[in-house]
Amino acid sequence: MAGLVDIRACARHIEALQRPGGDIPWIEAGIWDAWNHGEGAMGLAIAGRETATRRALDHLAERQEADGGWTGDLGASVPLDDTNRHLVPGTPETARDTNFTGYAAVTVLRSLLALGALSDLPRYWPMVQRAMDFILDHQTRQGDIVWRARDGDEPLETIDSLRAGNASLYKSLECAILMGRLMEAAVDHWAQARRKLGAALRENDARFDRKGTDRRRYAMDWYYPVLAGVLTGDAARARLYARWTDFVKPGLGCRCVSDEPWVTAAETAELALACLAAGKRDQARTLIADLAPLKAKSGGYWMGWQFVEEVVWPYERPSWTAGALIMAADALDGLTPGSGLLVRNWVVEYPVRPDAEALPAFLSA
């Protein structure tokens, strides 16, 4: 996909941020969580950076906690130096986020597919199993999954469930089920949990944002049910069409928040993936092309563009932004084995007992 995304430059930037222990922080100054670490790892794998990818996967496994979860920094709590437009990590708040935990399944499968290394799945399978146990322990009777780990005997109903996070978990469960079938493991309970989660997302919207905060102004709440395969076909296209003008700034990309003059590269790349999932390939390609001004000469992409003040905001090049652009480029042009993993509903399409040799080609765009 030369000319739209410089995959090598993006991968070099991610690898430059990666620390000796294998962890991939958001930026040079820090901030780490399992979800965004995974974005960077998958970007490295697609770019063919095998050693760096394996270091990232091994770090994820080593950092997993006893009950299957991960403690991560809450990036939203990190203050911004308005003068210099840099994030100032300091000591951010932390959380044990269910979505961030579940994403390990996507990270492992996408990375191993891109590297042609599914034979290494047994090495990471215990990590995936523990992560899924953690997820299911936080699923309510109605099917939604609360956003964070409960504190002791804290009732699940006292914790909110987030629409975008639950849609992401729907894809995470799909990837875990596919890996479980390869491992000939019992995954029927995961499949049942995924069906309940999908039903909640499609039919019981009151389960989300039930604690008073309405997050529908965020782009991720809009497109993630399409990107993750919760909605497909006409329903997916209708959802994108319904709020396209709220979020898409023509010629610039996707706003992060509908009422803010700020387009962000990562959300735009993910919206491009959602367009691919909905069969809107031309729109996907246009979105990625619109991000050309946010390419950084030194590698990666700037986080976003404040189009009223006409400034890069903030002045950061997150590892996960580079990873998202790599994955969008890969899905658009089918560059590596498994390139279609993020944009199709494979649990529905793939046979019960997949063949490991045929799987990478089948999962390609």
Side-chain angles (χ1 to χ4, degrees):
M1 196 174 165
L4 287 184
V5 177
D6 188 337
I7 289 176
R8 291 182 179 180
C10 285
R12 282 196 301 270
H13 178 60
I14 297 169
E15 199 165 6
L17 289 171
Q18 188 176 35
R19 293 175 172 173
D23 50 319
I24 305 173
W26 283 27
I27 55 178
E28 292 88 343
I31 312 173
W32 186 92
D33 64 70
W35 201 99
N36 290 295
H37 172 92
E39 290 282 281
M42 290 185 283
L44 289 172
I46 291 166
R49 300 294 208 278
E50 182 171 359
T51 299
T53 303
R54 291 184 183 279
R55 287 173 55 221
L57 294 178
D58 289 344
H59 178 83
L60 199 59
E62 291 163 5
R63 195 159 177 163
Q64 189 176 32
E65 294 160 17
D67 63 357
W70 282 269
T71 298
D73 297 327
L74 283 175
S77 74
V78 175
L80 177 72
D81 180 339
D82 290 327
T83 301
N84 298 312
R85 288 179 283 148
H86 283 297
L87 295 170
V88 187
T91 54
E93 297 175 26
T94 62
R96 305 182 70 235
D97 190 302
T98 54
N99 172 30
F100 289 8
T101 292
Y103 206 58
V106 181
T107 299
V108 168
L109 183 55
R110 184 70 201 91
S111 296
L112 294 183
L113 284 166
L115 294 176
L118 278 180
S119 59
D120 286 342
L121 178 55
R123 177 175 181 172
Y124 303 107
W125 177 240
M127 173 175 68
V128 173
Q129 287 180 301
R130 288 194 296 270
M132 293 304 106
D133 288 342
F134 179 90
I135 296 311
L136 267 59
D137 189 48
H138 291 86
Q139 186 171 33
T140 74
R141 293 180 181 179
Q142 290 81 6
D144 55 294
I145 297 170
V146 299
W147 82 269
R148 62 166 175 83
R150 52 183 159 189
D151 184 9
D153 295 329
E154 182 182 15
L156 290 181
E157 285 297 327
T158 65
I159 309 171
D160 210 351
S161 297
L162 310 185
R163 196 175 292 104
N166 272 243
S168 179
L169 282 165
Y170 187 78
K171 174 61 74 172
S172 295
L173 281 162
E174 175 188 319
C175 290
I177 292 164
L178 280 171
M179 287 185 282
R181 290 175 178 173
L182 283 173
M183 295 295 297
E184 298 187 359
V187 294
D188 287 349
H189 59 305
W190 294 353
Q192 181 180 7
R194 183 173 177 271
R195 286 192 293 270
K196 288 178 61 179
L197 175 57
L201 284 161
R202 287 185 290 267
E203 303 163 15
N204 195 1
D205 194 63
R207 292 300 302 168
F208 306 98
D209 294 348
R210 63 184 187 277
K211 297 301 178 181
T213 300
D214 187 348
R215 297 176 177 83
R216 285 175 292 187
R217 57 196 284 264
Y218 291 94
M220 292 177 69
D221 263 40
W222 164 55
Y223 64 71
Y224 245 94
V226 177
L227 169 56
V230 179
L231 299 175
T232 60
D234 290 342
R237 289 184 284 275
R239 185 177 183 89
L240 293 182
Y241 178 78
R243 300 201 66 190
W244 188 267
T245 57
D246 292 342
F247 288 105
V248 177
K249 182 70 173 176
L252 294 179
C254 180
R255 297 175 188 245
C256 179
V257 187
S258 62
D259 53 353
E260 295 288 347
W262 182 43
V263 296
T264 47
E267 273 82 358
T268 303
E270 288 187 332
L271 177 56
L273 288 169
C275 286
L276 287 173
K280 298 169 71 71
R281 181 168 294 274
D282 290 344
Q283 289 88 338
R285 191 170 292 277
T286 297
L287 285 166
I288 299 303
D290 287 345
L291 292 177
L294 286 179
K295 286 182 183 178
K297 292 181 180 179
S298 50
Y301 280 70
W302 298 109
M303 186 186 292
W305 177 254
Q306 215 280 14
F307 54 80
V308 171
E309 297 182 10
E310 296 188 330
V311 294
V312 168
W313 192 89
Y315 202 68
E316 302 287 4
R317 297 172 294 147
S319 55
W320 42 265
T321 296
L325 266 295
I326 291 173
M327 285 189 282
D330 182 51
L332 266 169
D333 287 347
L335 303 175
T336 65
S339 56
L341 179 68
L342 298 178
V343 296
R344 285 169 67 183
N345 191 330
W346 296 108
V347 165
V348 171
E349 298 182 40
Y350 207 78
V352 173
R353 290 194 179 277
D355 178 270
E357 293 184 2
L359 187 64
F362 189 85
L363 295 178
S364 296

